[in-house]
Each structure stands twice: as structure tokens, then as C-alpha cells.
Amino acid sequence: MEHHRIASDRAPNVTIMPTTEDASQTVADMFLATVRTNPACRLGLATGQTPRRIYAKLVDAVRAGRISFADVETINLDEYCGLPAAHPDSFAAYMHRELFSSAGFDAAKINLIDGAATDEAAEAVRYANLVRSRPVDLQLLGIGTNGHIGFNEPGSSASSRVRVVELSKETLAANQPTLIELHEVPARAITMGIADILDARKIVILATGEAKAEAVRRSLMEHPDDNCPASHLALHADVHWVLDQAAAGLL
């Protein structure tokens, strides 16, 4: 494992691994260590292409008898507006497909946004209260090519909280290939804000692939800026960036 310190006044914790698989294993190991230390911890979870390998490794660990998630509480970052949990393109369905249904989580301890809520503002308030009810012990993040974390698009401030957001053209285009049944990515979502993310005790952000390299460079090498939401992670005392060689290419 290589540890590379980036030359800046913030000295972030950055681990660069040779491959995507190695990087995913590094993050999975952090989750396993957190749960072993505190079996009833609260884990903050993300969706998308990047976490898939992490979740597969956590499922493998459960099947091998190396871990139990029975007492773990989870809370997710975001959800598309207008999609019920049972819809294959909802993030709720993704979480059950990729992790929950195979890893022995207690359904009563899984916290998800209701994308089908008729009153979206009220659902954002409900979820905001849930987020604030208990700190996240380890928050997983990916990063968009435009620097978004969760669905906090460029322009999001470090003080932002759970809210309804409009998704950027870049995000809509990036998420289009992941669709299963829908023909178009929903234009709106409910997301935890950057301030909610920064409330976590520890944050790990995984970035893999050359397409993420510029967003990673901006986040790590430039000062915090609303135009690159992930750059606000510099305000947190315990953030671990895990990159593969391709994502680290511009550092």
C-alpha cells in the first residue's frame, strides 16, 4: 500500500492503490474495521458505480463468516425524486440489490429517503431530523466528474443541509448509462447537504478512473470552493481519500 501526501497546507490523508480492485478493498477493510470496533455503528452509504466493488467485498466477508452487520444502522446520502423504493432505478433498490439483501442487515436499522413522497419538502425535513439524530461513524463518498458529493452539485455551500436539488446536465449524462428501466435520469433528487456529510466522525472518499482525475486534483490541490463541492472536505479533520493510479494521475 502506498501512502502519498499531497503538498498543501491541508495535508489530506491520501492512499493511492495500483488498481480499482485494490482501492475498493482498502475501503472495504475500513468498513470492516469500523464495524468490528463498534458493531452497532452508523454507516453512511453511497450509490453509483464506484461503491459496487466495496459492497461486493462486504457481502463476501459476511458469507465467509468474518463480519456481522446485524446491529449496524445505515443512512444513505440521496435518492431520486419520483421513484418508489421498489423501482429498479431507485437508490433504495440499488442498496438492497448490491448490499442489504445479501449481507444480513436489519431492515429496521436501514434509513432511506422516500423518493416517492408526494410532499418532497416534508420528506427532506423528515430525513434531516433522522440525519441529525445520530452522528455517522464512517461516511462513504464517491465524487462526480464535476466534483459533486452526494447530489451536492457545483454551487453547493459548506453549510448546505438536506434538501431537494436539481441535477446538473453533467450528472444526468453520467448517470444515464446506469439506468435499468427508465429512459431518462430523474431531474431532481433529495440529498444530504455538505454540512450533513461533514458532521460524520470519519469520511472515506473513493475515486477510481481517469475521468475523476481532474475533480480529485481540484478537491485536493485547490482551496475549498463551492464550484467544486468535494473541496469542502478539506474542512473535516478525518477524511481519507482512496484513489487508484488513474484517478491520482494529475496529483
Side-chain angles (χ1 to χ4, degrees):
M1 184 185 294
E2 303 174 54
H3 287 275
H4 291 246
R5 303 301 274 189
I6 307 305
S8 86
D9 55 347
R10 292 177 276 131
N13 186 355
V14 180
T15 299
I16 302 172
M17 302 301 290
T19 67
T20 300
E21 198 69 13
D22 295 328
S24 300
Q25 186 65 61
T26 298
V27 177
D29 288 343
M30 290 174 66
F31 272 84
L32 295 175
T34 300
V35 175
R36 286 181 183 130
T37 302
N38 179 7
C41 64
R42 182 184 241 194
L43 299 179
L45 302 178
T47 52
Q49 295 295 334
T50 305
R52 277 203 164 98
R53 294 304 304 146
I54 300 168
Y55 296 155
K57 291 174 187 303
L58 297 182
V59 169
D60 287 347
V62 170
R63 287 177 174 159
R66 293 190 287 120
I67 198 77
S68 169
F69 292 107
D71 296 325
V72 169
E73 185 187 11
T74 70
I75 192 153
N76 262 68
L77 280 170
D78 44 27
E79 178 61 274
Y80 291 128
C81 288
L83 293 189
H87 193 289
D89 286 311
S90 74
F91 290 158
Y94 168 104
M95 289 306 307
H96 284 284
R97 204 165 49 232
E98 301 291 334
L99 182 64
F100 295 153
S101 65
S102 305
F105 284 84
D106 179 351
K109 294 185 170 71
I110 292 170
N111 297 303
L112 295 162
I113 297 165
D114 179 8
T118 49
D119 187 336
E120 293 165 357
E123 175 59 9
V125 170
R126 180 195 74 86
Y127 205 68
N129 290 332
L130 200 57
V131 168
R132 278 199 300 270
S133 68
R134 181 186 175 192
V136 167
D137 293 290
L138 179 60
Q139 175 67 57
L140 174 63
L141 298 175
I143 183 172
T145 53
N146 62 1
H148 78 227
I149 47 176
F151 273 141
N152 293 284
E153 299 283 23
S156 298
S157 77
S159 61
S160 58
R161 294 283 180 182
V162 178
R163 66 205 186 284
V164 180
V165 294
E166 299 279 337
L167 301 183
S168 70
K169 287 193 175 74
E170 200 165 358
T171 296
L172 295 175
N175 289 12
Q176 185 73 30
T178 68
L179 295 178
I180 297 170
E181 279 189 8
L182 291 176
H183 297 296
E184 289 186 350
V185 178
R188 293 158 56 258
I190 295 175
T191 186
M192 282 170 54
I194 294 173
D196 300 309
I197 292 168
L198 293 176
D199 281 343
R201 291 193 168 109
K202 182 170 186 161
I203 298 169
V204 58
I205 179 163
L206 174 64
T208 59
E210 191 179 352
K212 303 295 178 72
E214 173 59 14
V216 168
R217 184 200 67 76
R218 287 181 66 195
S219 300
L220 286 168
M221 309 293 279
E222 297 179 6
H223 288 288
D225 180 353
D226 290 356
N227 290 320
C228 181
S231 67
H232 289 304
L233 294 175
L235 303 171
H236 195 280
D238 193 357
V239 179
H240 195 141
W241 288 76
V242 179
L243 315 171
D244 66 2
Q245 291 284 1
L250 298 179
L251 298 180

